[in-house]
PDB file of all heavy atoms in Angstrom:
ATOM      1  N   ILE G  33       5.374   3.101 -14.485  1.00  0.00           N
ATOM      2  CA  ILE G  33       4.885   4.468 -14.434  1.00  0.00           C
ATOM      3  C   ILE G  33       4.090   4.613 -13.088  1.00  0.00           C
ATOM      4  O   ILE G  33       3.486   3.636 -12.668  1.00  0.00           O
ATOM      5  CB  ILE G  33       4.054   4.787 -15.675  1.00  0.00           C
ATOM      6  CG1 ILE G  33       3.605   6.269 -15.735  1.00  0.00           C
ATOM      7  CG2 ILE G  33       2.797   3.929 -15.737  1.00  0.00           C
ATOM      8  CD1 ILE G  33       4.449   7.127 -16.645  1.00  0.00           C
ATOM      9  N   SER G  34       4.097   5.792 -12.586  1.00  0.00           N
ATOM     10  CA  SER G  34       3.182   6.016 -11.440  1.00  0.00           C
ATOM     11  C   SER G  34       2.005   6.888 -11.869  1.00  0.00           C
ATOM     12  O   SER G  34       2.190   7.787 -12.694  1.00  0.00           O
ATOM     13  CB  SER G  34       3.959   6.688 -10.278  1.00  0.00           C
ATOM     14  OG  SER G  34       4.268   8.050 -10.556  1.00  0.00           O
ATOM     15  N   TYR G  35       0.843   6.580 -11.352  1.00  0.00           N
ATOM     16  CA  TYR G  35      -0.304   7.418 -11.509  1.00  0.00           C
ATOM     17  C   TYR G  35      -0.518   8.092 -10.155  1.00  0.00           C
ATOM     18  O   TYR G  35      -0.950   7.429  -9.203  1.00  0.00           O
ATOM     19  CB  TYR G  35      -1.584   6.635 -11.911  1.00  0.00           C
ATOM     20  CG  TYR G  35      -1.352   5.618 -13.068  1.00  0.00           C
ATOM     21  CD1 TYR G  35      -1.568   4.281 -12.816  1.00  0.00           C
ATOM     22  CD2 TYR G  35      -1.006   6.074 -14.311  1.00  0.00           C
ATOM     23  CE1 TYR G  35      -1.380   3.389 -13.858  1.00  0.00           C
ATOM     24  CE2 TYR G  35      -0.781   5.140 -15.346  1.00  0.00           C
ATOM     25  CZ  TYR G  35      -0.977   3.886 -15.089  1.00  0.00           C
ATOM     26  OH  TYR G  35      -0.771   2.888 -16.158  1.00  0.00           O
ATOM     27  N   ASN G  36      -0.196   9.345 -10.089  1.00  0.00           N
ATOM     28  CA  ASN G  36      -0.217  10.007  -8.768  1.00  0.00           C
ATOM     29  C   ASN G  36      -1.614  10.559  -8.464  1.00  0.00           C
ATOM     30  O   ASN G  36      -2.254  11.085  -9.334  1.00  0.00           O
ATOM     31  CB  ASN G  36       0.803  11.122  -8.745  1.00  0.00           C
ATOM     32  CG  ASN G  36       2.245  10.640  -8.851  1.00  0.00           C
ATOM     33  OD1 ASN G  36       2.446   9.479  -8.718  1.00  0.00           O
ATOM     34  ND2 ASN G  36       3.148  11.599  -9.017  1.00  0.00           N
ATOM     35  N   SER G  37      -1.989  10.439  -7.235  1.00  0.00           N
ATOM     36  CA  SER G  37      -3.287  10.933  -6.732  1.00  0.00           C
ATOM     37  C   SER G  37      -3.033  11.311  -5.283  1.00  0.00           C
ATOM     38  O   SER G  37      -2.161  10.707  -4.606  1.00  0.00           O
ATOM     39  CB  SER G  37      -4.306   9.795  -6.871  1.00  0.00           C
ATOM     40  OG  SER G  37      -5.517  10.162  -6.166  1.00  0.00           O
ATOM     41  N   TYR G  38      -3.695  12.374  -4.870  1.00  0.00           N
ATOM     42  CA  TYR G  38      -3.443  12.912  -3.537  1.00  0.00           C
ATOM     43  C   TYR G  38      -4.739  13.161  -2.831  1.00  0.00           C
ATOM     44  O   TYR G  38      -5.773  13.351  -3.439  1.00  0.00           O
ATOM     45  CB  TYR G  38      -2.696  14.225  -3.661  1.00  0.00           C
ATOM     46  CG  TYR G  38      -1.409  14.187  -4.544  1.00  0.00           C
ATOM     47  CD1 TYR G  38      -1.446  14.415  -5.900  1.00  0.00           C
ATOM     48  CD2 TYR G  38      -0.180  13.812  -3.965  1.00  0.00           C
ATOM     49  CE1 TYR G  38      -0.320  14.328  -6.690  1.00  0.00           C
ATOM     50  CE2 TYR G  38       0.983  13.697  -4.748  1.00  0.00           C
ATOM     51  CZ  TYR G  38       0.909  14.009  -6.106  1.00  0.00           C
ATOM     52  OH  TYR G  38       2.012  13.963  -6.865  1.00  0.00           O
ATOM     53  N   ALA G  39      -4.665  13.270  -1.496  1.00  0.00           N
ATOM     54  CA  ALA G  39      -5.878  13.680  -0.765  1.00  0.00           C
ATOM     55  C   ALA G  39      -5.442  14.784   0.231  1.00  0.00           C
ATOM     56  O   ALA G  39      -4.374  14.682   0.892  1.00  0.00           O
ATOM     57  CB  ALA G  39      -6.440  12.490   0.034  1.00  0.00           C
ATOM     58  N   ILE G  40      -6.232  15.880   0.247  1.00  0.00           N
ATOM     59  CA  ILE G  40      -5.936  16.984   1.167  1.00  0.00           C
ATOM     60  C   ILE G  40      -7.001  16.975   2.283  1.00  0.00           C
ATOM     61  O   ILE G  40      -8.246  16.954   1.966  1.00  0.00           O
ATOM     62  CB  ILE G  40      -6.025  18.310   0.453  1.00  0.00           C
ATOM     63  CG1 ILE G  40      -5.056  18.317  -0.730  1.00  0.00           C
ATOM     64  CG2 ILE G  40      -5.633  19.489   1.405  1.00  0.00           C
ATOM     65  CD1 ILE G  40      -5.126  19.555  -1.571  1.00  0.00           C
ATOM     66  N   PHE G  41      -6.568  16.978   3.511  1.00  0.00           N
ATOM     67  CA  PHE G  41      -7.501  16.878   4.672  1.00  0.00           C
ATOM     68  C   PHE G  41      -7.560  18.179   5.403  1.00  0.00           C
ATOM     69  O   PHE G  41      -6.579  18.726   5.827  1.00  0.00           O
ATOM     70  CB  PHE G  41      -7.014  15.788   5.685  1.00  0.00           C
ATOM     71  CG  PHE G  41      -7.044  14.442   5.002  1.00  0.00           C
ATOM     72  CD1 PHE G  41      -5.986  13.895   4.317  1.00  0.00           C
ATOM     73  CD2 PHE G  41      -8.210  13.641   5.100  1.00  0.00           C
ATOM     74  CE1 PHE G  41      -6.055  12.653   3.730  1.00  0.00           C
ATOM     75  CE2 PHE G  41      -8.254  12.384   4.511  1.00  0.00           C
ATOM     76  CZ  PHE G  41      -7.190  11.892   3.824  1.00  0.00           C
ATOM     77  N   ASP G  42      -8.764  18.702   5.536  1.00  0.00           N
ATOM     78  CA  ASP G  42      -9.038  19.933   6.266  1.00  0.00           C
ATOM     79  C   ASP G  42     -10.557  19.771   6.724  1.00  0.00           C
ATOM     80  O   ASP G  42     -11.024  18.685   6.879  1.00  0.00           O
ATOM     81  CB  ASP G  42      -8.846  21.118   5.345  1.00  0.00           C
ATOM     82  CG  ASP G  42      -8.578  22.451   6.104  1.00  0.00           C
ATOM     83  OD1 ASP G  42      -9.312  22.710   7.062  1.00  0.00           O
ATOM     84  OD2 ASP G  42      -7.706  23.218   5.676  1.00  0.00           O
ATOM     85  N   GLU G  43     -11.211  20.928   7.026  1.00  0.00           N
ATOM     86  CA  GLU G  43     -12.644  20.785   7.296  1.00  0.00           C
ATOM     87  C   GLU G  43     -13.353  20.028   6.191  1.00  0.00           C
ATOM     88  O   GLU G  43     -14.250  19.209   6.410  1.00  0.00           O
ATOM     89  CB  GLU G  43     -13.299  22.167   7.485  1.00  0.00           C
ATOM     90  CG  GLU G  43     -12.923  22.936   8.697  1.00  0.00           C
ATOM     91  CD  GLU G  43     -13.219  24.382   8.652  1.00  0.00           C
ATOM     92  OE1 GLU G  43     -14.244  24.723   7.931  1.00  0.00           O
ATOM     93  OE2 GLU G  43     -12.555  25.157   9.254  1.00  0.00           O
ATOM     94  N   LYS G  44     -12.928  20.313   5.004  1.00  0.00           N
ATOM     95  CA  LYS G  44     -13.376  19.561   3.793  1.00  0.00           C
ATOM     96  C   LYS G  44     -12.207  18.710   3.318  1.00  0.00           C
ATOM     97  O   LYS G  44     -11.054  19.125   3.464  1.00  0.00           O
ATOM     98  CB  LYS G  44     -13.826  20.525   2.677  1.00  0.00           C
ATOM     99  CG  LYS G  44     -14.896  21.536   3.055  1.00  0.00           C
ATOM    100  CD  LYS G  44     -16.238  20.919   3.173  1.00  0.00           C
ATOM    101  CE  LYS G  44     -17.343  21.911   3.412  1.00  0.00           C
ATOM    102  NZ  LYS G  44     -18.612  21.288   3.645  1.00  0.00           N
ATOM    103  N   ILE G  45     -12.519  17.642   2.618  1.00  0.00           N
ATOM    104  CA  ILE G  45     -11.472  16.739   2.092  1.00  0.00           C
ATOM    105  C   ILE G  45     -11.555  16.765   0.561  1.00  0.00           C
ATOM    106  O   ILE G  45     -12.644  16.636   0.007  1.00  0.00           O
ATOM    107  CB  ILE G  45     -11.696  15.275   2.557  1.00  0.00           C
ATOM    108  CG1 ILE G  45     -11.591  15.227   4.135  1.00  0.00           C
ATOM    109  CG2 ILE G  45     -10.696  14.364   1.911  1.00  0.00           C
ATOM    110  CD1 ILE G  45     -11.965  13.878   4.709  1.00  0.00           C
ATOM    111  N   ALA G  46     -10.404  17.028  -0.074  1.00  0.00           N
ATOM    112  CA  ALA G  46     -10.374  17.007  -1.506  1.00  0.00           C
ATOM    113  C   ALA G  46      -9.432  15.842  -1.954  1.00  0.00           C
ATOM    114  O   ALA G  46      -8.371  15.701  -1.440  1.00  0.00           O
ATOM    115  CB  ALA G  46      -9.812  18.362  -2.038  1.00  0.00           C
ATOM    116  N   VAL G  47      -9.987  15.147  -2.992  1.00  0.00           N
ATOM    117  CA  VAL G  47      -9.124  14.147  -3.675  1.00  0.00           C
ATOM    118  C   VAL G  47      -8.630  14.741  -4.980  1.00  0.00           C
ATOM    119  O   VAL G  47      -9.418  15.311  -5.669  1.00  0.00           O
ATOM    120  CB  VAL G  47      -9.961  12.877  -3.940  1.00  0.00           C
ATOM    121  CG1 VAL G  47      -9.101  11.839  -4.695  1.00  0.00           C
ATOM    122  CG2 VAL G  47     -10.449  12.221  -2.668  1.00  0.00           C
ATOM    123  N   MET G  48      -7.321  14.688  -5.108  1.00  0.00           N
ATOM    124  CA  MET G  48      -6.711  15.333  -6.301  1.00  0.00           C
ATOM    125  C   MET G  48      -6.488  14.245  -7.383  1.00  0.00           C
ATOM    126  O   MET G  48      -5.486  13.514  -7.317  1.00  0.00           O
ATOM    127  CB  MET G  48      -5.382  15.994  -5.968  1.00  0.00           C
ATOM    128  CG  MET G  48      -5.461  16.926  -4.743  1.00  0.00           C
ATOM    129  SD  MET G  48      -6.553  18.310  -4.994  1.00  0.00           S
ATOM    130  CE  MET G  48      -5.653  19.282  -6.139  1.00  0.00           C
ATOM    131  N   ASP G  49      -7.441  14.109  -8.333  1.00  0.00           N
ATOM    132  CA  ASP G  49      -7.385  13.181  -9.450  1.00  0.00           C
ATOM    133  C   ASP G  49      -7.486  11.719  -9.055  1.00  0.00           C
ATOM    134  O   ASP G  49      -7.252  11.365  -7.873  1.00  0.00           O
ATOM    135  CB  ASP G  49      -6.092  13.383 -10.265  1.00  0.00           C
ATOM    136  CG  ASP G  49      -6.090  14.768 -10.980  1.00  0.00           C
ATOM    137  OD1 ASP G  49      -6.909  14.893 -11.926  1.00  0.00           O
ATOM    138  OD2 ASP G  49      -5.306  15.631 -10.564  1.00  0.00           O
ATOM    139  N   THR G  50      -7.838  10.955 -10.057  1.00  0.00           N
ATOM    140  CA  THR G  50      -7.957   9.510  -9.819  1.00  0.00           C
ATOM    141  C   THR G  50      -6.723   8.827 -10.566  1.00  0.00           C
ATOM    142  O   THR G  50      -5.709   9.483 -10.716  1.00  0.00           O
ATOM    143  CB  THR G  50      -9.326   8.936 -10.322  1.00  0.00           C
ATOM    144  OG1 THR G  50      -9.390   8.823 -11.713  1.00  0.00           O
ATOM    145  CG2 THR G  50     -10.494   9.824  -9.837  1.00  0.00           C
ATOM    146  N   VAL G  51      -6.900   7.525 -10.988  1.00  0.00           N
ATOM    147  CA  VAL G  51      -5.861   6.865 -11.675  1.00  0.00           C
ATOM    148  C   VAL G  51      -6.357   6.067 -12.809  1.00  0.00           C
ATOM    149  O   VAL G  51      -7.576   6.013 -13.075  1.00  0.00           O
ATOM    150  CB  VAL G  51      -5.071   5.901 -10.676  1.00  0.00           C
ATOM    151  CG1 VAL G  51      -4.494   6.666  -9.469  1.00  0.00           C
ATOM    152  CG2 VAL G  51      -6.013   4.824 -10.201  1.00  0.00           C
ATOM    153  N   ASP G  52      -5.486   5.419 -13.546  1.00  0.00           N
ATOM    154  CA  ASP G  52      -5.831   4.544 -14.620  1.00  0.00           C
ATOM    155  C   ASP G  52      -6.687   3.333 -14.049  1.00  0.00           C
ATOM    156  O   ASP G  52      -6.397   2.833 -12.993  1.00  0.00           O
ATOM    157  CB  ASP G  52      -4.605   3.947 -15.300  1.00  0.00           C
ATOM    158  CG  ASP G  52      -4.811   3.304 -16.623  1.00  0.00           C
ATOM    159  OD1 ASP G  52      -5.586   2.358 -16.672  1.00  0.00           O
ATOM    160  OD2 ASP G  52      -4.235   3.801 -17.617  1.00  0.00           O
ATOM    161  N   ALA G  53      -7.700   2.968 -14.858  1.00  0.00           N
ATOM    162  CA  ALA G  53      -8.628   1.904 -14.371  1.00  0.00           C
ATOM    163  C   ALA G  53      -7.840   0.650 -14.117  1.00  0.00           C
ATOM    164  O   ALA G  53      -8.280  -0.263 -13.345  1.00  0.00           O
ATOM    165  CB  ALA G  53      -9.735   1.658 -15.415  1.00  0.00           C
ATOM    166  N   ARG G  54      -6.671   0.443 -14.808  1.00  0.00           N
ATOM    167  CA  ARG G  54      -5.847  -0.749 -14.530  1.00  0.00           C
ATOM    168  C   ARG G  54      -5.546  -0.942 -13.064  1.00  0.00           C
ATOM    169  O   ARG G  54      -5.328  -2.048 -12.567  1.00  0.00           O
ATOM    170  CB  ARG G  54      -4.570  -0.657 -15.300  1.00  0.00           C
ATOM    171  CG  ARG G  54      -4.632  -0.590 -16.787  1.00  0.00           C
ATOM    172  CD  ARG G  54      -3.294  -0.130 -17.402  1.00  0.00           C
ATOM    173  NE  ARG G  54      -2.147  -0.839 -16.871  1.00  0.00           N
ATOM    174  CZ  ARG G  54      -1.766  -2.033 -17.261  1.00  0.00           C
ATOM    175  NH1 ARG G  54      -2.436  -2.642 -18.219  1.00  0.00           N
ATOM    176  NH2 ARG G  54      -0.665  -2.602 -16.696  1.00  0.00           N
ATOM    177  N   MET G  55      -5.449   0.165 -12.309  1.00  0.00           N
ATOM    178  CA  MET G  55      -5.001   0.123 -10.929  1.00  0.00           C
ATOM    179  C   MET G  55      -6.036   0.639 -10.016  1.00  0.00           C
ATOM    180  O   MET G  55      -5.742   1.052  -8.858  1.00  0.00           O
ATOM    181  CB  MET G  55      -3.709   1.012 -10.807  1.00  0.00           C
ATOM    182  CG  MET G  55      -2.597   0.640 -11.716  1.00  0.00           C
ATOM    183  SD  MET G  55      -2.008  -1.064 -11.648  1.00  0.00           S
ATOM    184  CE  MET G  55      -1.263  -0.970 -10.027  1.00  0.00           C
ATOM    185  N   ALA G  56      -7.338   0.488 -10.399  1.00  0.00           N
ATOM    186  CA  ALA G  56      -8.420   1.037  -9.564  1.00  0.00           C
ATOM    187  C   ALA G  56      -8.481   0.448  -8.156  1.00  0.00           C
ATOM    188  O   ALA G  56      -8.612   1.125  -7.174  1.00  0.00           O
ATOM    189  CB  ALA G  56      -9.735   0.822 -10.290  1.00  0.00           C
ATOM    190  N   ASP G  57      -8.325  -0.884  -8.100  1.00  0.00           N
ATOM    191  CA  ASP G  57      -8.431  -1.533  -6.780  1.00  0.00           C
ATOM    192  C   ASP G  57      -7.367  -1.037  -5.830  1.00  0.00           C
ATOM    193  O   ASP G  57      -7.635  -0.794  -4.638  1.00  0.00           O
ATOM    194  CB  ASP G  57      -8.350  -3.074  -6.941  1.00  0.00           C
ATOM    195  CG  ASP G  57      -9.621  -3.622  -7.659  1.00  0.00           C
ATOM    196  OD1 ASP G  57     -10.618  -2.867  -7.807  1.00  0.00           O
ATOM    197  OD2 ASP G  57      -9.547  -4.739  -8.138  1.00  0.00           O
ATOM    198  N   GLU G  58      -6.124  -1.011  -6.327  1.00  0.00           N
ATOM    199  CA  GLU G  58      -5.040  -0.603  -5.449  1.00  0.00           C
ATOM    200  C   GLU G  58      -5.207   0.831  -4.997  1.00  0.00           C
ATOM    201  O   GLU G  58      -4.960   1.210  -3.851  1.00  0.00           O
ATOM    202  CB  GLU G  58      -3.659  -0.747  -6.182  1.00  0.00           C
ATOM    203  CG  GLU G  58      -3.252  -2.121  -6.484  1.00  0.00           C
ATOM    204  CD  GLU G  58      -3.913  -2.735  -7.752  1.00  0.00           C
ATOM    205  OE1 GLU G  58      -4.875  -2.114  -8.304  1.00  0.00           O
ATOM    206  OE2 GLU G  58      -3.374  -3.772  -8.208  1.00  0.00           O
ATOM    207  N   TRP G  59      -5.623   1.688  -5.947  1.00  0.00           N
ATOM    208  CA  TRP G  59      -5.901   3.105  -5.635  1.00  0.00           C
ATOM    209  C   TRP G  59      -6.994   3.273  -4.575  1.00  0.00           C
ATOM    210  O   TRP G  59      -6.794   4.001  -3.606  1.00  0.00           O
ATOM    211  CB  TRP G  59      -6.213   3.852  -6.882  1.00  0.00           C
ATOM    212  CG  TRP G  59      -6.668   5.274  -6.665  1.00  0.00           C
ATOM    213  CD1 TRP G  59      -5.879   6.326  -6.192  1.00  0.00           C
ATOM    214  CD2 TRP G  59      -7.978   5.823  -6.899  1.00  0.00           C
ATOM    215  NE1 TRP G  59      -6.696   7.430  -6.119  1.00  0.00           N
ATOM    216  CE2 TRP G  59      -7.926   7.184  -6.559  1.00  0.00           C
ATOM    217  CE3 TRP G  59      -9.147   5.240  -7.379  1.00  0.00           C
ATOM    218  CZ2 TRP G  59      -9.002   8.008  -6.658  1.00  0.00           C
ATOM    219  CZ3 TRP G  59     -10.275   6.099  -7.469  1.00  0.00           C
ATOM    220  CH2 TRP G  59     -10.208   7.477  -7.154  1.00  0.00           C
ATOM    221  N   LEU G  60      -8.084   2.564  -4.763  1.00  0.00           N
ATOM    222  CA  LEU G  60      -9.186   2.677  -3.799  1.00  0.00           C
ATOM    223  C   LEU G  60      -8.736   2.203  -2.378  1.00  0.00           C
ATOM    224  O   LEU G  60      -9.117   2.781  -1.394  1.00  0.00           O
ATOM    225  CB  LEU G  60     -10.380   1.867  -4.237  1.00  0.00           C
ATOM    226  CG  LEU G  60     -11.223   2.515  -5.367  1.00  0.00           C
ATOM    227  CD1 LEU G  60     -12.319   1.567  -5.850  1.00  0.00           C
ATOM    228  CD2 LEU G  60     -11.875   3.815  -4.871  1.00  0.00           C
ATOM    229  N   ALA G  61      -7.924   1.183  -2.368  1.00  0.00           N
ATOM    230  CA  ALA G  61      -7.387   0.648  -1.084  1.00  0.00           C
ATOM    231  C   ALA G  61      -6.547   1.755  -0.445  1.00  0.00           C
ATOM    232  O   ALA G  61      -6.669   2.052   0.792  1.00  0.00           O
ATOM    233  CB  ALA G  61      -6.571  -0.606  -1.269  1.00  0.00           C
ATOM    234  N   ASN G  62      -5.682   2.431  -1.189  1.00  0.00           N
ATOM    235  CA  ASN G  62      -4.882   3.503  -0.644  1.00  0.00           C
ATOM    236  C   ASN G  62      -5.768   4.661  -0.201  1.00  0.00           C
ATOM    237  O   ASN G  62      -5.530   5.255   0.893  1.00  0.00           O
ATOM    238  CB  ASN G  62      -3.871   4.042  -1.725  1.00  0.00           C
ATOM    239  CG  ASN G  62      -2.801   3.069  -2.088  1.00  0.00           C
ATOM    240  OD1 ASN G  62      -2.620   2.086  -1.379  1.00  0.00           O
ATOM    241  ND2 ASN G  62      -2.093   3.314  -3.158  1.00  0.00           N
TER     242      ASN G  62
END
Side-chain angles (χ1 to χ4, degrees):
I33 185 99
S34 70
Y35 312 120
N36 296 347
S37 169
Y38 308 91
I40 305 175
F41 294 90
D42 201 317
E43 288 166 27
K44 305 282 188 189
I45 297 173
V47 177
M48 310 299 289
D49 293 291
T50 76
V51 300
D52 194 300
R54 296 166 48 81
M55 304 302 289
D57 291 346
E58 292 84 346
W59 171 67
L60 283 175
N62 290 347

